[in-house]
Amino acid sequence: MTTSTATPRTVIVDAVAARALLPAATAWAAALLATNVAAWPVALLGWAGAAAALGAALILRRGALVPRAQTVLPMLALCLSVLALVGTAVAVQAPYRQPSVLLDAAEDGRLVTLRGIVMSTPERQPSPFSFSLSVAGDGTGSEVQRVRFALRAESTQLGREPPAPLRGVPVQLFAELATDAVPPEIGSGVRVTARLQANGPGDPSAFLAFGSDPLVVESPPPWYLAWAVALRTDFRAAAELLPGDGGALLPGLAIGDTSAVSVELDAAMKASSLSHLTAVSGANCAVVVAAVMLLGATLRLSRRLRVGLSLAALLGFVVLVTPEPSVLRAGLMAVIVLLGLASGRPGGGVPALGAAVIVLLSLDPWLASSYGFALSVLATVGLLLLTAPLAAVLGRWMPRGLAIALAIPLAAQLACQPVLVLLSPTVSLLGVPANLLAGPAAPIATLLGLLACLLLPILPSLGFAVAQLAWLPAAFIAAVARMVAGMPGARAPWLDGLLGALLLAVATALALWLVLRRPARGRGGSASALVATAALLALAGAYGGMLLGTGVVRALTRPADWQIALCDVGQGDAVLVRDAGQVALIDTGPEPEPLRDCLSELGVGRIDLLVLTHYDRDHIGGLSAVVGAVDAAIVGRTSGSGDDTVLALLLRGGASVHVAARGDRGTLGGLRWRVLWPAEAEGELSTGNPGSVVLETEGGGIRALFLGDLGEESERALLALERPGPVDVVKVAHHGSSDQHGELYERLAARVGLIGVGADNGYGHPTATLLAMLRQSNTRGYRSDRNGLVLVSPAGTGDGALRVWTERDDG
């Protein structure tokens, strides 16, 4: 009888390299724990544990006992030291991030004046208004543009009190600028008067600030940043002269500037899993360093001189593309690799990544909660640890070159997907093919774009010619993104939240273990594979059951191009209108929780335009679900202190508030909207149900009218005043009460009527009288009590037809 003594070799991932990431993983866990729970206990535990582990290691080494412990204990001591270091960093920095003066101002809703330094490139926030904004109807205001950027607040002032110094409080600022003003550049000193909203203790930004007055730029960037401002400005201007998506995408590929990328192109890049190409990371740094090192080798420069030039070029590149979290990670990792090369002891990518993570989290532990930083690190881990094993497995069935090309995007996607589902509860099915097509074009666009950026100030004609060459791969990448995003089944639904992320992480780990393992001799290896397979099948079954239980299977048929959504919020109204990535919400329903569920299900995280038709609870009761997430609001006329409280709540959350008046108009994406009612400045038909704000929208193949809670008298007056023409969709007034004017519905002749109503509501809504009016006007009624969520989208047949999707079939 023979017994196999072979040790089962399970996974061909480099285990030694993976262990080098243990200190970095400890640093990450310490940062999350210390910033969200308690800092000093983490620090004290780390210091005590590190001292104990180091002491035990020294004792065992002196006694030459327990060989394995001599390997484990030093690593344990290192991990605990990192734990102590990060915990101490949080304990020292935390008191200065949210000083009491700012917390009190946020709690009281008081205006504060902040002075600070711009820390990120301002992003333009589209405004839904095409008229002068007035706050709470005071009639003042001016044409403005809205921008968002990171601010390091250096001082604050409340009213006439003397300024109080701050220690670099991180703030995410939503500010207003005059339409013709140029947004500030990184490093500029600015002043703004704003209302604050405190974030959670673990958030990368300590506060959100919503400017109430136009931003004032007090000082330009310092000289060591100003040169990069001029380069970025010239390059953006040159790219604007290039046509189509290629011109908009080129600055993002070359220097990470996505300010010109349209909402539609941005959505296509995300849907096709190509958005990482416009996030400057290790690939961009590698292109820069490789170009300098190759040039140095051509000139026969010494190794140390080549490394020195590479470090200088890398520093300049980081300043040029702005120090975002992913840039800092990639840049510091490159510095560590270069220093090792200069010393004659080049190290691997994994130790360099681990060291970079530890350094950055020690300096700014709140980076641990940054999705951008997490995705950058995870993508690098996937590339370093999974690319070679996946390529080896794929190489069994295809040429090696193709196997490597497939393994690179696959490794990155597998590593990042558990975090990506926290941002969007979907899994990309076409991301790998999209990256296989577009990936080779990215370094070409990056290198040519950078060269053009550097040449434009010196040789403008040559620089623009190079930019035109760079446009070709940029346009190709944009075309791939739009093509893949438009394909059916580009993304599959997944469970959202932490449960979905954990489930996907476990399933991914099991699948990788099964695919990458080497067959082991003996029964142990087969049993392990059988257990792993059974666990994976169990997870798949549980996932399928959860999909059935949560209605995600039904969501597979849900149209992605919906324009109007009737939320099921019970006896009340909450209707969403969407186009080109911008979203309007008309009323909020009676309670916040149903509205939160609807917004979460539809993936809506920000409201560009909120319309509160009037102040009855069934229309404003869910307001707390969106306070702080609203950019601008149109509201009905107030009639008491309770109504004014609602406006104050919106203002405190940073929204610009305008009291609606007939004739107000604006845009939402590509849609045009107009206020038709109320018409009177005062009187019985100006407030309450009779004075409900009536909104008309048109564009994207759908014309719609939203009637609030108008009654018959107001509807008669509206019909006489506006003579509205036929529409495609009408939001039925007052939940389908009988107090309606049938002639209005006949004139509208809508094909779809949306009725926000609760089951067994006690009012008899919708009434038989109203339903008869809809039948008389050939309008098909959809009601939230029976149909649940209702989505309306253009059918895309070219004849104006509509497609209506309902959560439930009403029989």
Side-chain angles (χ1 to χ4, degrees), residues 387-439:
T387 299
L390 287 173
V393 173
L394 293 172
R396 301 171 189 169
W397 298 285
M398 62 184 69
R400 177 171 174 77
L402 180 58
I404 294 174
L406 279 173
I408 290 172
L410 181 59
Q413 182 171 327
L414 289 173
C416 293
Q417 196 61 64
V419 172
L420 288 173
V421 297
L422 294 174
L423 298 173
S424 174
T426 59
V427 176
S428 176
L429 300 181
L430 300 179
V432 171
N435 277 273
L436 185 63
L437 286 173

Side-chain angles (χ1 to χ4, degrees), residues 445-546:
T446 297
L447 190 57
L448 290 175
L450 278 173
L451 183 60
C453 185
L454 296 174
L455 286 174
L456 280 167
I458 307 169
L459 300 170
S461 297
L462 180 59
F464 187 67
V466 175
Q468 289 176 308
L469 291 176
W471 174 86
L472 292 171
F476 174 73
I477 292 171
V480 171
R482 288 193 181 274
M483 178 188 70
V484 172
M487 289 181 175
R491 304 190 75 86
W494 191 265
L495 297 177
D496 61 355
L498 185 59
L499 176 62
L502 291 175
L503 183 65
L504 186 56
V506 172
T508 301
L510 287 173
L512 284 172
W513 189 87
L514 287 171
V515 170
L516 300 181
R517 63 185 296 274
R518 288 176 178 169
R521 298 177 182 179
R523 297 180 180 179
S526 300
S528 299
L530 185 62
V531 170
T533 303
L536 192 59
L537 291 174
L539 283 173
Y543 171 58
M546 290 179 185

Side-chain angles (χ1 to χ4, degrees), residues 273-337:
S273 297
L274 295 176
S275 59
H276 66 93
L277 297 180
T278 58
V280 177
S281 60
N284 304 73
C285 293
V287 168
V288 172
V289 171
V292 175
M293 293 291 285
L294 183 61
L295 179 61
T298 303
L299 297 176
R300 297 184 178 181
L301 301 179
S302 67
R303 181 175 61 187
R304 291 193 176 185
L305 184 55
R306 278 181 284 155
V307 169
L309 291 175
S310 297
L311 288 172
L314 187 64
L315 176 61
F317 179 69
V318 170
V319 173
L320 177 63
V321 301
T322 71
E324 298 292 334
S326 62
V327 179
L328 293 175
R329 190 278 309 162
L332 183 56
M333 186 176 169
V335 168
I336 294 171
V337 171

Side-chain angles (χ1 to χ4, degrees), residues 365-390:
W366 286 266
L367 277 177
S369 297
S370 167
Y371 282 109
F373 184 67
L375 291 172
S376 174
V377 172
L378 287 174
T380 307
V381 170
L383 293 173
L384 292 173
L385 295 183
L386 297 179
T387 299
L390 287 173

Side-chain angles (χ1 to χ4, degrees), residues 696-718:
E696 178 187 69
T697 65
E698 186 172 6
I702 298 179
R703 187 181 185 192
L705 191 66
F706 303 88
L707 293 173
D709 269 5
L710 294 189
E712 182 176 3
E713 184 180 2
S714 296
E715 290 176 357
R716 285 182 182 274
L718 173 65

Side-chain angles (χ1 to χ4, degrees), residues 83-140:
L83 182 80
L85 177 64
V86 175
T88 303
V90 175
V92 172
Q93 297 178 42
Y96 303 110
R97 284 176 54 89
Q98 291 188 325
S100 59
V101 62
L102 296 185
L103 286 175
D104 292 342
E107 180 68 24
D108 298 337
R110 298 177 61 188
L111 287 171
V112 299
T113 298
L114 296 175
R115 281 183 169 86
I117 305 298
V118 178
M119 299 300 291
S120 68
T121 302
E123 299 178 14
R124 294 183 186 272
Q125 303 293 296
S127 173
F129 293 101
S130 60
F131 55 85
S132 297
L133 264 181
S134 63
V135 177
D138 61 5
T140 63

Side-chain angles (χ1 to χ4, degrees), residues 173-200:
L173 175 62
F174 297 81
E176 295 181 350
L177 295 170
T179 303
D180 56 351
V182 177
E185 294 285 350
I186 291 180
S188 300
V190 298
R191 184 183 79 246
V192 66
T193 300
R195 284 183 170 84
L196 299 179
Q197 178 179 318
N199 283 331

